[in-house]
C-alpha cells in the first residue's frame, strides 16, 4: 500500500512544523513531506532547527501519530562553484543528522546545478555524492532525486541516467507529475517516463499542470521574450493536462507501493479542501 504524504508548503507561513503535524492529522494524513521553510531547512541555507525544536516536533508526532517521512531539501550540491558546493554538502550533513534524530527515513531532493554549465555541474554532483555516501549509509537514510526545471539536467531519461550512474541501492528516482512537460519537452507521456525509470522509480510527487509548450508556447506568456526562466504549476488533480487515468492505471499495473507526495501550491484560499480531495482521490485509485 502506498504512503500518502502531505507537503504542507501552503501552511508554512501560518503554522509551525509541530502544528503542521496536527493539521495533517485533521486532514486525514499519516505522513508529511517537509518542504523547505526558513526555520527548518531553507533553500540553499544551513538548517536552522535546534534541539528544542526537534523535541517539540517529536512530541507533536507522538501525540498525533503523524510521521515526517521525508525531508525535501533544495541544496545546490551540484554548484559549479566549488566553495558553494562544499557549503551545500555541509548543509546536507546537518540535515542528515536532523533526519536521524527525527527518524526520517528518506530525503527527496533535486539535482540542482546550473543548466548553462551542465557538464561541470554533473562533475560536481558526483563529487558531492561520493562525499555524502558515508553519511547516508551510516545513518541508514535513503534518497530519491528529481530533475527540477532549471537543474543541470531537465529531462526524464538523462535524470534516470544520473541515478543509475550513482549505482547505489539507496539512491533512486522521484518522478514529479507537475514537471512532466518539462521532463518530456512537451510530449507528456507519463507511462513511458515511469517505464523508463523502471525499478529506480521509488517516489512520486502528485499535482496537476498545464503543458507550457502547448499552443505554440502561448499557454503562458513570459516577458521579456526569451528570458532564461522555467514556468509550471502545482495544481489540484483535474486542473491541468496530466493524463491521470494513464498515471494511476500504470501504477496499479506495477503494484507501486512507494511514497506518494501531495504537493499542491498556490491555492491557499481552498487548501484544506484541496488536500482532502487529493488524499481521497489517491486512496480510491491506489487503494491506500
Amino acid at each position: 500500500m502506498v504512503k500518502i504524504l502531505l507537503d504542507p508548503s501552503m501552511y508554512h507561513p501560518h503554522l509551525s512544523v509541530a502544528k503542521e503535524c496536527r493539521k495533517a492529522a485533521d486532514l486525514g494524513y499519516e505522513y508529511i513531506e517537509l518542504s523547505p521553510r526558513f526555520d527548518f531547512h531553507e533553500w540553499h541555507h544551513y538548517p536552522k532547527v535546534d534541539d528544542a525544536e526537534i523535541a517539540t516536533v517529536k512530541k507533536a508526532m507522538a501525540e498525533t501519530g503523524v510521521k515526517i517521512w521525508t525531508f525535501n531539501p533544495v541544496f545546490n550540491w551540484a554548484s559549479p562553484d566549488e566553495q558553494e558546493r562544499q557549503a551545500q554538502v555541509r548543509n546536507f550533513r546537518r540535515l542528515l543528522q536532523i533526519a536521524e534524530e527525527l527518524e526520517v527515513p528518506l530525503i527527496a531532493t533535486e539535482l540542482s546545478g546550473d543548466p548553462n554549465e551542465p557538464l561541470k555541474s554533473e562533475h560536481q554532483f558526483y563529487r558531492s555524492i561520493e562525499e555524502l555516501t558515508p553519511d547516508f549509509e551510516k545513518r541508514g537514510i535513503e534518497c530519491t532525486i528529481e530533475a527540477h526545471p532549471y537543474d543541470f539536467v531537465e529531462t526524464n531519461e538523462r535524470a534516470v541516467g544520473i541515478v543509475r550512474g550513482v549505482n547505489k541501492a539507496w539512491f533512486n528516482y522521484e518522478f514529479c507529475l507537475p514537471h512532466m512537460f518539462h521532463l518530456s519537452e512537451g510530449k507528456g507521456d507519463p507511462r513511458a517516463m515511469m517505464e523508463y525509470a523502471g525499478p529506480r522509480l521509488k517516489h512520486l510527487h502528485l499535482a496537476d499542470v498545464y503543458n507550457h509548450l502547448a499552443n505554440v508556447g502561448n499557454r503562458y506568456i513570459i516577458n521579456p521574450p526569451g528570458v532564461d526562466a522555467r514556468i509550471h504549476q502545482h495544481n489540484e488533480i483535474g486542473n491541468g493536462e496530466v493524463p491521470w487515468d494513464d498515471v494511476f492505471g500504470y501504477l496499479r499495473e506495477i503494484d507501486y507501493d512507494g511514497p506518494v507526495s501531495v504537493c499542491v501550491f498556490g491555492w491557499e484560499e481552498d487548501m484544506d479542501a484541496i488536500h482532502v480531495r487529493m488524499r481521497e482521490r489517491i486512496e480510491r485509485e491506489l487503494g491506500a
Side-chain angles (χ1 to χ4, degrees):
M1 296 175 65
V2 300
K3 289 179 171 63
I4 305 176
L5 285 53
L6 172 67
D7 181 337
S9 177
M10 290 194 285
Y11 301 101
H12 287 347
H14 317 292
L15 300 179
S16 66
V17 175
K19 289 181 179 178
E20 288 178 343
C21 290
R22 297 183 174 90
K23 170 59 73 172
D26 290 344
L27 298 173
Y29 286 81
E30 298 180 31
Y31 303 98
I32 281 177
E33 174 162 304
L34 192 62
S35 52
R37 48 181 296 151
F38 81 95
D39 59 351
F40 211 95
H41 61 85
E42 185 179 7
W43 287 273
H44 310 305
H45 288 258
Y46 191 80
K48 300 303 191 295
V49 62
D50 60 11
D51 289 344
E53 180 63 11
I54 288 171
T56 299
V57 173
K58 279 185 178 179
K59 183 172 184 289
M61 288 196 294
E63 291 173 350
T64 62
V66 171
K67 179 176 178 58
I68 299 175
W69 192 259
T70 65
F71 287 153
N72 181 214
V74 183
F75 296 142
N76 194 3
W77 55 352
S79 173
D81 179 87
E82 176 58 13
Q83 183 176 354
E84 179 66 14
R85 187 200 67 81
Q86 290 179 22
Q88 300 302 333
V89 168
R90 185 185 309 118
N91 294 347
F92 251 113
R93 286 203 169 106
R94 174 55 183 148
L95 191 65
L96 288 170
Q97 293 173 354
I98 297 165
E100 185 177 38
E101 291 184 59
L102 289 174
E103 299 181 0
V104 175
L106 179 65
I107 301 296
T109 189
E110 302 171 5
L111 289 169
S112 294
D114 186 342
N116 299 305
E117 294 190 77
L119 184 56
K120 188 172 183 179
S121 296
E122 180 177 320
H123 297 332
Q124 296 287 77
F125 171 77
Y126 281 115
R127 173 181 278 185
S128 295
I129 287 292
E130 288 177 359
E131 292 178 8
L132 286 167
T133 287
D135 297 86
F136 276 99
E137 293 182 348
K138 176 180 69 174
R139 301 182 189 283
I141 295 172
E142 297 190 2
C143 184
T144 58
I145 199 161
E146 65 163 307
H148 195 282
Y150 213 77
D151 282 358
F152 76 87
V153 165
E154 299 182 84
T155 57
N156 185 76
E157 292 188 5
R158 293 192 66 85
V160 172
I162 294 289
V163 170
R164 291 173 179 162
V166 173
N167 198 29
K168 298 289 185 181
W170 52 266
F171 190 86
N172 288 290
Y173 187 55
E174 174 223 305
F175 183 57
C176 185
L177 271 300
H179 302 160
M180 61 171 280
F181 294 110
H182 284 280
L183 290 167
S184 63
E185 298 177 310
K187 298 180 183 68
D189 186 345
R191 173 182 287 266
M193 286 187 277
M194 289 188 285
E195 282 182 339
Y196 187 82
R200 289 294 183 177
L201 179 66
K202 298 291 187 182
H203 191 185
L204 294 165
H205 277 186
L206 263 61
D208 216 330
V209 67
Y210 288 96
N211 186 350
H212 63 290
L213 294 177
N215 295 5
V216 295
N218 284 330
R219 183 76 80 200
Y220 306 100
I221 297 173
I222 305 176
N223 289 316
V227 67
D228 189 16
R230 310 293 188 268
I231 187 167
H232 65 282
Q233 299 166 305
H234 284 244
N235 297 339
E236 182 180 0
I237 288 176
N239 186 15
E241 295 172 311
V242 174
W244 291 103
D245 288 345
D246 290 347
V247 171
F248 289 123
Y250 177 73
L251 295 174
R252 288 192 294 267
E253 286 176 22
I254 65 171
D255 294 321
Y256 178 80
D257 61 357
V260 174
S261 301
V262 172
C263 50
V264 178
F265 309 145
W267 300 91
E268 284 84 351
E269 64 273 15
D270 197 30
M271 54 191 172
D272 284 2
I274 286 172
H275 287 133
V276 170
R277 290 193 296 265
M278 289 285 290
R279 174 182 56 77
E280 290 176 344
R281 174 70 182 272
I282 297 166
E283 289 171 345
R284 289 197 304 272
E285 296 283 1
L286 300 180

